Amino acid sequence: MISFTTDDIAPERRFDQWREVRGKSLFGVTIELAAEKRLSFHGSFRAHAVGGAVASEMRASSYRIKRTDTDIARISGNSLCIAHQVTGGGLLDTGRGRVDTIHDGDMVVSHSDLPYSGQPDGERGFLYRMLKIPIEGEILLGRRADDLFAAKPIGGTWFLRPFRALFDALMAPERTGSDPLRDVASIARLALAARGRLPLGMPEVRAALRTGVRHAALEIMERDKRLPGLNPARVAMELGISRRQFYVVLEEAGLTFSRTLAAMRVRDARRLLVEIPSLSITQVAFACGFDSLATFYRAFATTYGMTPSDMRGIGGRWQ
């Protein structure tokens, strides 16, 4: 992982350093900010490699940005870019006679080596995440992407939710229990499908969509893991699929609902045991969604090879 921030740079030099060293030399873009606003500028960036792609996150003060032909000639990438404008949207001009409004939460799919310009909609700063996928091999199934100007993906909630869940999983530096190469190929194919380059009925796209649905299911389970009544039917209903389809999606990754949920609850319990010693073990068990102490102790011992009391005694220093 790489990361940097302007916090350790003198205020009068922060924007110039960000523009020249980061913008031109690393990001391959041209950025501008009014002189009177530069003293209050701040920015931070972090990136990690995942499955042959690069996942990055940037927070910064608002500024104007463009990627020109000169920028592209200086730093080209031949990559498929999938971006999430978490906050701080604005106007996006790709030079094709139209200007799109990018709202908070919007996603954008594009090729890295096409020009664009962006204008912020205010002074509140932005949070921006991007997955940059090198175009190589059969990842795009023979389709071209070098003419994909920046635009929002199409598709209803049934498509965009698994698409975003897969994106979120790849953006997490600590992600575990998944195949990053498969996941990167899956989101690349979903991105092309969302831009009309691949048919949704294509076997590889359907497999990619199932991968996204699985990550969406895991998000729901993680969010609701403390609910005692959480069950497969409830998760499947929220996803808009049948319970049988839900089981198939998990089974393709060698997962089961009960074991996956128990593992989430046990991790949660371990954290509570260490961070909140005033809670009794019984309180921890039921707070984390277990319906009995016997089930909790069995799941905890299976995962960590010790009792909850032993874990609390060593302060969570188990590896």
Side-chain angles (χ1 to χ4, degrees):
M1 175 185 287
I2 63 170
S3 64
F4 52 81
T5 176
T6 58
D7 290 350
D8 55 354
I9 301 172
E12 64 272 15
R13 294 181 51 246
R14 286 177 181 172
F15 180 74
D16 286 341
Q17 199 270 359
W18 186 271
R19 179 180 59 185
E20 300 300 325
V21 178
R22 307 306 182 186
K24 289 186 177 180
S25 302
L26 181 60
F27 308 141
V29 295
T30 299
I31 61 178
E32 284 299 333
L33 183 64
E36 66 271 15
K37 298 177 181 178
R38 295 182 183 183
L39 274 178
S40 60
F41 176 81
H42 64 85
S44 65
F45 175 87
R46 65 178 185 178
H48 67 276
V50 55
V54 175
S56 61
E57 178 180 292
M58 184 189 305
R59 295 177 184 267
S61 304
S62 298
Y63 52 70
R64 298 183 301 277
I65 183 172
K66 58 185 176 180
R67 183 152 163 80
T68 66
D69 290 334
T70 300
D71 294 324
I72 294 167
R74 185 176 65 252
I75 300 179
S76 61
N78 191 28
S79 299
L80 179 68
C81 297
I82 305 170
H84 179 203
Q85 189 75 50
V86 183
T87 59
L91 300 178
L92 176 66
D93 184 353
T94 58
R96 295 173 178 269
R98 57 175 290 179
V99 177
D100 289 330
T101 300
I102 305 299
H103 301 285
D104 289 1
D106 279 346
M107 300 195 75
V108 173
V109 174
S110 66
H111 188 270
S112 61
D113 299 340
L114 293 175
Y116 67 86
S117 64
Q119 175 75 35
D121 65 359
E123 305 297 330
R124 58 196 175 106
F126 66 88
L127 171 57
Y128 181 81
R129 305 189 301 163
M130 184 172 72
L131 186 66
K132 191 173 183 180
I133 306 171
I135 297 175
E136 54 189 20
E138 284 299 304
I139 194 168
L140 300 187
L141 302 175
R143 289 347 190 244
R144 63 178 298 192
D146 59 343
D147 60 342
L148 281 177
F149 58 90
K152 289 181 271 190
I154 56 175
T157 302
W158 66 272
F159 180 90
L160 292 179
R161 180 165 190 173
F163 180 60
R164 180 164 294 181
L166 182 49
F167 177 86
D168 289 341
L170 287 163
M171 292 300 300
E174 69 281 1
R175 71 192 302 271
T176 59
S178 191
D179 181 344
L181 289 173
R182 179 202 60 207
D183 287 353
V184 166
S186 293
I187 198 166
R189 291 162 185 174
L190 290 182
L192 287 195
R195 292 294 303 272
R197 295 299 173 87
L198 288 174
L200 290 173
M202 193 173 187
E204 292 88 347
V205 175
R206 294 175 63 184
L209 189 56
R210 290 195 298 272
T211 297
V213 169
R214 180 167 59 254
H215 283 286
L218 294 174
E219 283 187 346
I220 295 169
M221 292 170 67
E222 183 65 36
R223 183 196 69 199
D224 294 343
K225 61 182 179 292
R226 293 190 178 187
L227 299 179
L230 186 61
N231 57 44
R234 183 170 181 163
V235 178
M237 181 179 297
E238 183 169 338
L239 290 171
I241 61 177
S242 70
R243 187 162 58 177
R244 174 57 188 160
Q245 289 173 315
F246 175 60
Y247 284 132
V248 170
V249 162
L250 291 182
E251 288 167 1
E252 284 186 342
L255 303 174
T256 69
F257 178 84
S258 59
R259 287 199 298 269
T260 302
L261 181 58
M264 291 177 176
R265 288 172 169 171
V266 164
R267 288 195 299 270
D268 195 27
R270 178 193 175 193
R271 182 182 60 80
L272 290 182
L273 285 167
V274 175
E275 295 181 1
I276 312 179
S278 61
L279 290 177
S280 69
I281 290 176
T282 299
Q283 288 174 315
V284 169
F286 288 105
C288 293
F290 288 96
D291 56 8
S292 74
L293 276 177
T295 302
F296 173 54
Y297 272 90
R298 185 166 55 250
F300 202 93
T302 298
T303 302
Y304 296 117
M306 64 179 72
T307 67
S309 297
D310 292 336
M311 178 65 73
R312 175 167 274 171
I314 65 173
R317 297 185 302 275
W318 182 91
Q319 298 295 329

